[in-house]
Amino acid sequence: MFTAADFIPKAYSSTIESGTFEWSAPSNIALVKYWGKKENQIPANPSVSFTLKNCKTITRLCFEKRDASSVTNGFSFDLLFEGKSKEDFKPKIRKFLERVEAYLPFLKEYHFTIDTHNTFPHSSGIASSASGMAALAMNFMSLEKLLNPEMSDEYFYQKASFLARLGSGSACRSVKGNVVVWGNQANIERSSDLFGVEFPHAIHENFRNYQDTILLVDKGEKQVSSTVGHDLMHNHPYAERRFAQAHENLDKLIAIFESGNVEEFIKVVESEALTLHAMMMTSMPYYILMKPNTLQIINAIWKFRAETKTPVCFTLDAGANVHVLYPENVSKKVLQFIKNELVGFCQNGQYICDEIGKGAIAL
Ligand code: PMV
């Protein structure tokens, strides 16, 4: 069993003055949802997600050794977003650096320039925290690997996921693998609350290249942030039952991934999405993140599925946008349906075509 202390490095064997790395990391979409957490970003229940391919953050990290005397002045970094200095992103990055400093003790010895952009529109309502924190974590691990060249690949990716988790919980599922589990689950060996692991069991070819078309229903700022939402699961009247249900649904998915039963997959995935939003609606204070068009889309998907027997379903993250999930072999039919019947419910007709991807990539 890993503990956080396993990620505190011993003395480094090498030194490095300056350099540059660049990584891309994708977003991910949870099938079993993480909702509720303990201290230090430890999830209240396990989750599993499809890693995406096209929605990603690309981050370049330049580093330069500082004078030994300036190290006591705290962290030193510049932040560029889409090539321009972005002061309002800095507090989030500073908080991340503070959280991971114990595990990356070299952070104050360098000045960093973090240059980042997303492949999806900034104000699309697609959270960039998962892809952004994962891309940053990969870069810091590349630097640590220079300081400790003996590091194994396994440790590299595990610790990258561990660090990404400290930035934003679900970011730990954006590091490596098509299907990633985060959180202890008895039937998934090596699963951990500390980092994401590649789903270790068989995955039927029905789920290979699964498609995710993201319908942008509402691009505005959420009324209630995920941080507040997670927090409202403390003393929530249904929390314990919900956490148990996530374990049950993850076990169901293990069998579903193996058998390729898309009908059962749909039941688990849609139930998880609606349960997530039911938790929000039954929090105190209660709130609703779905919009009228979210429900219009859900009903249209149900009608289309019933009439055409096409195995298409939806999931939601903590917002109004709808992720439409379907196997690759029905993509033509589903895209036509989306264009004909769902685009009208999207803000400015916007949607993003994505599919399962592999995780972070060094550029
Ligand atoms: O990683 P956070 O704290 O932004 O929480 C993400 C929560 C959901 O997207 C709603 C579910 C999930 O497992 O990704």
Side-chain angles (χ1 to χ4, degrees), residues 38-51:
K38 304 172 197 167
E39 243 185 294
N40 298 325
Q41 306 272 97
I42 296 300
N45 64 259
S47 56
V48 65
S49 52
F50 280 157
T51 306

Side-chain angles (χ1 to χ4, degrees), residues 41 96 99-100 129-130 133-138 158-175 194:
Q41 306 272 97
F96 173 68
R99 281 189 190 165
V100 299
S129 55
M133 288 300 170
L136 192 54
M138 300 314 296
Q158 235 160 37
K159 183 164 172 181
S161 176
F162 170 87
L163 298 173
R165 184 196 103 241
L166 292 171
S168 171
S170 59
C172 75
R173 298 188 313 239
S174 278
V175 167
L194 298 178

Side-chain angles (χ1 to χ4, degrees), residues 18 36 40 48 65 68 71 74 91 99 101 105 129 141 165 177 183 201 206 234 283-284 293 326 335-336 343 350:
S18 64
N40 298 325
V48 65
K65 199 103 188 195
V71 168
R99 281 189 190 165
E101 192 191 3
S129 55
M141 283 313 294
R165 184 196 103 241
H201 299 291
N206 287 354
H234 293 291
S283 292
M284 191 55 79
N293 281 351
Y326 48 97
L335 277 172
Q336 200 54 52
V343 164
Q350 278 184 290

Side-chain angles (χ1 to χ4, degrees), residues 34-288:
Y34 149 58
W35 199 242
K37 62 178 160 184
K38 304 172 197 167
E39 243 185 294
N40 298 325
Q41 306 272 97
I42 296 300
N45 64 259
S47 56
V48 65
S49 52
F50 280 157
T51 306
L52 297 182
K53 192 189 228 166
N54 302 329
C55 288
K56 55 192 180 189
T57 298
I58 296 155
T59 301
R60 182 202 299 255
L61 181 77
C62 301
F63 58 95
E64 212 175 339
K65 199 103 188 195
R66 301 164 76 191
D67 294 341
S69 60
S70 52
V71 168
T72 46
N73 300 341
F75 299 113
S76 173
F77 66 98
D78 296 317
L79 185 82
L80 303 177
F81 179 70
E82 293 176 347
K84 290 193 202 98
S85 169
K86 187 90 177 162
E87 286 302 311
D88 34 328
F89 282 6
K90 282 183 96 172
K92 210 172 170 189
I93 303 290
R94 182 163 287 111
K95 199 163 157 199
F96 173 68
L97 297 177
E98 282 163 8
R99 281 189 190 165
V100 299
E101 192 191 3
Y103 309 101
L104 300 172
F106 56 82
L107 287 177
K108 283 187 179 145
E109 294 169 22
Y110 292 93
H111 174 76
F112 297 107
T113 305
I114 301 165
D115 189 349
T116 189
H117 66 275
N118 300 325
T119 57
F120 45 92
H122 173 47
S123 58
S124 62
I126 298 185
S128 57
S129 55
S131 52
M133 288 300 170
L136 192 54
M138 300 314 296
N139 278 305
F140 284 130
M141 283 313 294
S142 284
L143 175 49
E144 183 168 64
K145 195 169 163 75
L146 285 184
L147 301 172
N148 174 20
E150 298 83 42
M151 182 188 295
S152 72
D153 257 15
E154 191 184 3
Y155 181 88
F156 178 91
Y157 282 103
Q158 235 160 37
K159 183 164 172 181
S161 176
F162 170 87
L163 298 173
R165 184 196 103 241
L166 292 171
S168 171
S170 59
C172 75
R173 298 188 313 239
S174 278
V175 167
K176 193 168 183 274
N178 298 132
V179 179
V180 179
V181 175
W182 168 38
N184 285 326
Q185 174 82 348
N187 293 333
I188 299 185
E189 58 275 18
R190 294 165 11 108
S191 59
S192 172
D193 285 347
L194 298 178
F195 47 79
V197 297
E198 281 192 73
F199 182 74
H201 299 291
I203 297 182
H204 193 278
E205 64 174 289
N206 287 354
F207 297 105
R208 224 164 278 157
N209 300 332
Y210 227 71
Q211 306 289 302
D212 178 6
T213 301
I214 309 164
L215 307 180
L216 305 179
V217 171
D218 186 53
K219 305 193 288 170
E221 185 88 358
K222 277 184 259 178
Q223 300 123 301
V224 181
S225 71
S226 287
T227 309
V228 172
H230 284 294
D231 214 40
L232 290 172
M233 288 302 281
H234 293 291
N235 305 318
H236 188 291
Y238 308 130
E240 288 314 312
R241 186 66 199 92
R242 159 59 199 156
F243 300 147
Q245 180 199 40
H247 284 274
E248 293 155 17
N249 281 341
L250 186 48
D251 273 341
K252 283 186 194 163
L253 274 185
I254 297 174
I256 290 168
F257 278 139
E258 191 174 356
S259 68
N261 190 333
V262 177
E263 262 168 51
E264 289 301 310
F265 174 82
I266 289 173
K267 282 188 204 158
V268 171
V269 168
E270 291 192 343
S271 162
E272 275 289 320
L274 294 181
T275 301
L276 168 70
H277 284 259
M279 290 300 112
M280 299 173 190
M281 289 190 256
T282 48
S283 292
M284 191 55 79
Y286 43 81
Y287 61 106
I288 302 178

